[in-house]
Amino acid sequence: MKKFLKIMLLIILIIFIIIIIHTLRNLIIINNLKNRIKPYSESTNYSVHSVNISNNTNSKMDIMTYKKNEKFVRIYKRISNEVVATVSEYYDGKTTTRYTDSSSGKVVSTNENTMMPNITSSFELENTLLLSFLYKIRSTEYNGKDCYVVNYFIGETDSIYIEKDTGLCIKSISSDMVNEMEYKFDNVDDSIFIEPDASKYLTEEQAMEKYLLKKDI
């Protein structure tokens, strides 16, 4: 009986040591990635190209974001069953003007509430020590870049691919959605902030009136 207990204690000790090593390794990796992304998260001039593909709905969302100082442009292009709809948002530091081009027509609207794009660490709002225990972090190569692929150790299939040199997330997989990101820095020119001709677009009120008239016919 004593021999059995000693064996069990030894096994528990070995498991505990493995857990400590696993957690410490991940903690070091996560903290290093947080430090490496800092110069990029503090950048005020960059562009991000994001492509989201849904396998279930057979649709694709192409998103292009440009930021320079307090201004940004975000262009969404949704492709579903070969139908393309585009939404372009222009933020001048105070107001967002949104231009929508779809099969239903061209509509322009303004909104004072907006969410400024920011590059953040994949672990920014998380409990780092807890994640270091829960996450499985493996080295891999993706698109010719040395990366870490990160997912939960048990029970989760979602994954993120983080570039080792920069800490930037370049791919994420969630449920049926695959999202790939490409970043460029110090490349945004002021010409990108020139807005479309609003006179060629209907206001939201005009678009609603047109819709109601069409419905009554």
Side-chain angles (χ1 to χ4, degrees):
M1 186 66 178
K2 288 183 178 180
K3 186 177 180 180
F4 174 77
L5 289 174
K6 286 182 180 180
I7 293 173
M8 290 301 297
L9 288 172
L10 180 61
I11 292 173
I12 293 170
L13 179 61
I14 292 172
I15 293 173
F16 180 74
I17 292 171
I18 291 173
I19 291 173
I20 292 297
I21 293 172
H22 164 83
T23 303
L24 287 177
R25 171 188 176 271
N26 287 353
L27 184 63
I28 292 169
I29 290 173
I30 290 173
N31 284 331
N32 284 341
L33 292 174
K34 281 185 173 183
N35 289 329
R36 288 171 187 168
I37 201 174
K38 278 184 180 179
Y40 303 99
S41 62
E42 294 170 356
S43 174
T44 58
N45 186 318
Y46 64 84
S47 64
V48 182
H49 184 203
S50 176
V51 178
N52 303 309
I53 298 176
S54 173
N55 295 321
N56 283 350
T57 61
N58 194 28
S59 64
K60 175 181 176 181
M61 180 74 81
D62 192 295
I63 306 171
M64 197 73 218
T65 302
Y66 303 89
K67 181 179 178 182
K68 186 175 182 181
N69 299 325
E70 77 283 357
K71 297 181 179 181
F72 78 82
V73 175
R74 187 187 287 119
I75 302 171
Y76 303 85
K77 184 179 291 185
R78 180 179 175 83
I79 305 170
S80 181
N81 297 322
E82 298 185 358
V83 176
V84 179
T86 303
V87 176
S88 304
E89 294 180 339
Y90 292 77
Y91 181 69
D92 61 6
K94 295 180 180 179
T95 304
T96 301
T97 304
R98 182 179 293 107
Y99 299 86
T100 303
D101 295 80
S102 68
S103 57
S104 301
K106 300 163 76 72
V107 180
V108 60
S109 61
T110 58
N111 184 4
E112 292 186 359
N113 298 319
T114 191
M115 184 175 290
M116 190 70 122
N118 288 298
I119 294 175
T120 59
S121 167
S122 300
F123 315 102
E124 194 70 34
L125 302 176
E126 306 283 2
N127 185 313
T128 304
L129 184 60
L130 179 62
L131 286 183
S132 299
F133 169 69
L134 295 176
Y135 272 166
K136 178 169 60 176
I137 303 177
R138 296 173 287 114
S139 293
T140 188
E141 185 177 300
Y142 184 74
N143 282 347
K145 298 177 179 179
D146 289 329
C147 301
Y148 291 113
V149 57
V150 182
N151 51 20
Y152 281 106
F153 201 78
I154 298 175
E156 289 284 346
T157 57
D158 297 356
S159 302
I160 53 175
Y161 289 72
I162 300 176
E163 192 176 4
K164 289 184 178 181
D165 290 341
T166 64
L168 295 168
C169 178
I170 61 173
K171 182 180 181 180
S172 65
I173 302 172
S174 179
S175 187
D176 76 309
M177 184 72 70
V178 178
N179 185 20
E180 299 197 44
M181 289 79 74
E182 182 180 0
Y183 306 81
K184 293 182 180 180
F185 293 86
D186 299 320
N187 69 319
V188 179
D189 187 77
D190 288 335
S191 61
I192 196 69
F193 301 106
I194 299 174
E195 299 183 23
D197 184 354
S199 66
K200 296 181 180 180
Y201 289 75
L202 298 177
T203 64
E204 288 184 314
E205 293 78 10
Q206 291 171 332
M208 180 59 70
E209 289 177 6
K210 182 179 179 181
Y211 170 77
L212 292 174
L213 286 172
K214 185 177 180 181
K215 189 177 179 181
D216 290 338
I217 295 175

